[in-house]
Amino acid sequence: MADGDGMRLRLAHLYADVMNVYGDRGNAIALRYRCEARGIALEVDGIGIGEAFDPEAYDLLIVGGGEDREQRRIADDLLTRGPAIRSAIEEGLPALAVCGGFQLFGERYVDADGTVLPGIGLFRMETLPPARGEERLIGNVLLETDFGEVVGFENHGGRTWLDGRQERFGSVVEGRGNNGKDGSEGARVASAIGTYLHGSLLPKNPAVTDFLLGKALARRYGEPATLAPLDDSLEAAAREAASTITRRGDGEGLWRRLRGLLRR
Ligand code: GLN
């Protein structure tokens, strides 16, 4: 009998149909895979704009990335749900918000046209458009985090600045991170993680997936949650390959350095 036999978890996938750049949907697939491998059933509900949603009824919440156009579509709807989402997360609901979703979980996002989109204010941070002449932050990323080395891919114009009291998700080893300047990447509040990393993130970083699942189980069934170990050799190989490619430096990194030299 698998460890979690009879256990069930509910995942709210916010705006699954709108916010899904670079296959961020893979995060829901990874969560389900690591549940099912342990005999835990994971029900995934896509929550669309205007649909009824009570965060308290869920054990996990995820939202993916999207470009400015998609962010404008969801911003008003998300704002109305802000207080309920914030209070559920502050009371322990684990969550993952990626890129465009991450930006709107902060205090505000000023997009490339100067339009101000107020966020739900879970993370103490704001995101500003690139200054004139600044490029999008694109490429493979390697982070040092509380979950060990995390790999992913970023592509964002917005520069996120954390308030001094706001905890980061990780520190940039390779890549650009929140703003390309201060070495921070993402943000954490309670059991919620915000990050720019696509990939998608969770399939290649099972320690992060299991952190979210452990918190979800503890919330529903009480501490301590025990997660049976899985054979992660494929995930480890994928992370190792991504890490090697990233450390070697991708084409974009090389061009950036060359352009920097030519500008001097
Ligand atoms: N529109 C945002 C930016 O470019 C987010 C992009 C994304 O989610 N990939 O900063």
Side-chain angles (χ1 to χ4, degrees):
M1 202 183 269
D3 250 10
D5 221 40
M7 287 186 171
R8 304 187 67 80
L9 291 174
R10 292 187 78 197
L11 166 69
H13 191 167
L14 209 48
Y15 312 121
D17 51 342
V18 181
M19 302 291 277
N20 181 40
V21 288
Y22 299 114
D24 283 338
R25 182 175 294 138
N27 292 326
I29 296 169
L31 286 163
R32 173 175 274 154
Y33 165 72
R34 294 185 78 77
C35 276
E36 286 178 354
R38 293 166 168 134
I40 303 164
L42 182 73
E43 183 190 322
V44 182
D45 286 350
I47 314 286
I49 295 168
E51 283 175 18
F53 170 53
D54 173 13
E56 290 294 344
Y58 287 88
D59 307 301
L60 268 165
L61 169 73
I62 62 171
V63 59
E67 295 304 334
D68 291 5
R69 193 173 39 141
E70 284 85 40
Q71 288 173 289
R72 279 187 207 158
R73 277 180 65 196
I74 65 156
D76 286 346
D77 186 79
L78 179 62
L79 212 52
T80 64
R81 305 175 191 275
I85 293 175
R86 258 194 352 248
S87 90
I89 288 175
E90 278 154 12
E91 281 157 28
L93 176 71
L96 175 69
V98 177
C99 201
F102 166 50
Q103 292 173 338
L104 292 178
F105 271 38
E107 274 145 19
R108 62 188 191 126
Y109 171 49
V110 185
D111 76 14
D113 296 343
T115 307
V116 180
L117 300 179
I120 65 170
L122 173 76
F123 300 121
R124 288 176 174 157
M125 62 184 217
E126 68 170 352
T127 303
L128 303 174
R132 191 189 279 274
E134 276 184 341
E135 301 158 342
R136 289 181 72 82
L137 307 177
I138 307 172
N140 293 321
V141 182
L142 192 61
L143 302 179
E144 206 41 68
T145 75
D146 290 349
F147 313 98
E149 186 177 86
V150 164
V151 294
F153 173 79
E154 65 183 333
N155 181 355
H156 52 109
R159 267 67 173 167
T160 295
W161 297 95
L162 306 181
D163 176 295
R165 292 160 296 169
Q166 173 59 59
E167 191 185 339
R168 59 181 67 180
F169 170 50
S171 294
V172 176
V173 179
E174 295 289 341
R176 316 301 298 282
N178 282 339
N179 48 59
K181 293 203 169 113
D182 69 7
S184 71
E185 206 292 323
R188 284 182 69 182
V189 163
S191 301
I193 296 171
T195 180
Y196 274 108
L197 299 196
H198 307 281
S200 40
L201 176 76
L202 296 183
K204 283 201 289 278
N205 297 287
V208 182
T209 320
D210 281 358
F211 165 77
L212 296 169
L213 288 178
K215 294 294 180 186
L217 284 171
R219 181 173 145 89
R220 170 159 292 216
Y221 294 103
E223 302 262 14
T226 43
L227 284 174
L230 300 177
D231 173 7
D232 285 338
S233 42
L234 279 177
E235 289 82 349
R239 207 174 56 257
E240 189 56 41
S243 170
T244 305
I245 290 167
T246 306
R247 284 185 194 278
R248 209 162 51 208
D250 54 19
E252 174 62 25
L254 200 63
W255 278 115
R256 201 169 54 237
R257 281 193 277 274
L258 270 175
R259 276 197 296 266
L261 281 174
L262 289 173
R263 266 197 210 115
R264 276 186 203 162

